[in-house]
Amino acid sequence: MKKGGILLAATGWDSALWSRMFTDAAPGRQVFVDPDGRTDDSVDYAIVWKQPAGSLAGLKNLKVIFSLGAGVDHVFRDPLVPDVPIVRVVSNDLTNRMSEYVVWQVLDHHRMGPKYRRQQQDAIWLEDRSQPAAKDITIGMLGLGVLGSDAAMKLKVMGFNVTGWSRSHHHLDGIPTFHGQEQMPAFLAGVDMLVCLLPLTPATANMLAMPMFEMMTKRGPLGAPVLINAGRGGLQNEKDILAALDIGTLSAVSLDVFQQEPLPVDSPFWSHPKVTLTPHAAAASDPFSLVKPIVDQMDAFDRGEPLRNLVDRKHQY
Ligand code: GLV
C-alpha cells in the first residue's frame, strides 16, 4: 500500500536538514516542504512549527498534525488549522535539556552568579560566605506536565525544597502540589523562586503579572523572589516584570522567552542588571532524537494504533 506523504511547515527552522532527515527515516513517504501548503490529497501528516496561516487548510487527506515543539500554542495561532488530532513532542532529549536549563538558572541565582559576575567585571574580591542552603529555598514549579515534573524532581535531588502547581491535580512523590486558581495564593505564599513551564493558552496568557509577584514570599533567604520563565513569552506581563524588579517585588529574573521574538534591540531587558536572558534556547528540538519517534507514530497510526501525546483541543495543550 502506498504510504501517505508528509508536509513540513516549520518557519524559521533549517527545512533542508529536517526534510532530509524525514526522507531518510520514512522510506516510501514523499516529503514536501511547501510554505504555502498544498491543495491535493498527497499529504497525510503535517509536521509544523509556526505553520503559515492556512497552509494546512487545503490538505484533503490530512490525518494528524505533529508539533515540533513541546508547546503547541503556535499551532493554534493559525485560525484555519484543520480539525485533526495534534501530537506534541515528548522526548527524553527535550525533557533533559529543559531540566538542565532550569537547574542551571536556579543554581545561578541560588549561588549568586549574577553578583559574582558583576564583581569579577569590576575586579572586586569580597569574601562573602552568606550563601543560603538549598534546603532553605523553596522552588515553586508552575506547570507539572512532563517538563515541569522532571525539573521539579531534579531540583529536589539537589536538596531544594520543591512545591508545584498545575491546573488539575498532579501527584509527585515527595513534592507538595497545589492545583487550580483557588490554591494559587497558598502555593505562591511559600515560594522563593518561581519556575514557569506552563503551556501558553487563553487561560494562562499574561498570568505572570504583578498580582502574582506580590503574593510570593519576601521572608525567604533571597530577600525578594526570583522568576524563571522558560515556557512562553505570552505568559508574562513584561511591563509588570520590569516594574516589579525596579520596586524590589522581584529580586531577579531569568527569561528564555519573550512576548516578541527576536527580542527587539531597544528592549530594556537586554541591559537590565537584574535580568538574565537567553534567546529561546532552553530546550531545542533536536532532529536526531525527534524524527524517528514521529515517523514511528505515523506508521503505527497507519496500522490503526492510537496516537500518543495528544493535545487536548479544548484546553489547547
Ligand atoms: C519550544 O519552545 C518547544 O515548545 O519545544
Side-chain angles (χ1 to χ4, degrees):
M1 194 183 85
K2 191 170 172 300
K3 288 183 171 185
I6 298 172
L7 175 78
L8 182 66
T11 309
W13 296 38
D14 182 350
S15 290
L17 168 70
W18 283 86
S19 82
R20 200 167 59 241
M21 301 250 338
F22 274 108
T23 305
D24 291 349
R29 294 192 193 274
Q30 265 192 293
V31 179
F32 304 97
V33 181
D34 225 333
D36 300 325
R38 307 179 66 81
T39 49
D40 57 24
D41 54 9
S42 54
V43 169
D44 283 13
Y45 299 108
I47 319 257
V48 304
W49 175 260
K50 297 183 182 164
Q51 78 276 6
S55 59
L56 310 183
L59 302 174
K60 299 190 184 72
N61 256 344
L62 186 65
K63 296 190 170 63
V64 183
I65 298 169
F66 291 91
S67 163
L68 281 176
V72 294
D73 49 295
H74 64 99
V75 180
F76 291 109
R77 233 173 289 152
D78 171 1
L80 299 176
V81 63
D83 190 9
V84 298
I86 299 170
V87 171
R88 79 163 65 77
V89 157
V90 174
S91 95
N92 287 340
D93 179 78
L94 192 94
T95 306
N96 288 337
R97 287 167 192 260
M98 184 56 93
S99 291
E100 281 168 17
Y101 172 87
V102 170
V103 171
W104 170 37
Q105 293 307 315
V106 165
L107 286 177
D108 195 48
H109 291 289
H110 168 54
R111 300 305 303 261
M112 299 191 270
K115 176 174 129 184
Y116 291 133
R117 283 193 290 277
R118 276 194 302 279
Q119 289 184 188
Q120 180 177 351
Q121 227 161 35
D122 299 336
I124 293 173
W125 181 278
L126 201 70
E127 291 197 16
D128 169 6
R129 300 206 172 81
S130 56
Q131 303 265 6
K135 71 172 177 36
D136 295 329
I137 295 194
T138 300
I139 317 283
M141 185 64 61
L142 266 181
L144 298 174
V146 174
L147 301 180
S149 303
D150 189 74
M153 295 308 282
K154 285 176 176 162
L155 289 167
K156 172 119 185 106
V157 169
M158 304 288 311
F160 291 100
N161 190 29
V162 184
T163 63
W165 179 93
S166 48
R167 187 183 57 82
S168 55
H169 175 70
H170 275 68
H171 171 82
L172 287 183
D173 278 345
I175 295 183
T177 56
F178 299 78
H179 67 277
Q181 274 318 314
E182 327 73 66
Q183 295 187 4
M184 183 65 93
F187 163 71
L188 290 172
V191 166
D192 298 304
M193 282 195 213
L194 184 66
V195 178
C196 178
L197 292 179
L198 284 170
L200 174 60
T201 70
T204 61
N206 276 304
M207 82 187 258
L208 300 173
M210 197 60 97
M212 243 172 120
F213 307 151
E214 286 173 340
M215 280 187 226
M216 286 156 70
T217 179
K218 285 171 200 61
R219 293 181 302 278
L222 301 174
V226 170
L227 168 70
I228 298 170
N229 184 14
R232 285 285 183 266
L235 293 159
Q236 69 201 14
N237 180 324
E238 298 185 347
K239 280 201 178 64
D240 280 10
I241 291 178
L242 290 166
L245 288 170
D246 290 343
I247 58 180
T249 305
L250 291 174
S251 64
V253 298
S254 289
L255 304 175
D256 183 56
V257 286
F258 294 88
Q259 290 271 3
Q260 190 184 336
E261 296 177 9
L263 186 64
V265 281
D266 59 353
S267 165
F269 283 111
W270 285 112
S271 55
H272 198 295
K274 297 180 182 170
V275 174
T276 299
L277 70 83
T278 44
H280 200 141
S285 292
D286 171 34
F288 293 92
S289 62
L290 299 193
V291 167
K292 182 161 183 323
I294 292 177
V295 172
D296 287 349
Q297 281 231 65
M298 293 174 188
D299 293 343
F301 191 74
D302 284 352
R303 290 192 299 271
E305 293 169 26
L307 294 163
R308 284 171 290 118
N309 310 318
L310 273 174
V311 170
D312 171 345
R313 266 190 186 254
K314 175 158 166 263
H315 293 109
Q316 300 199 3
Y317 73 93

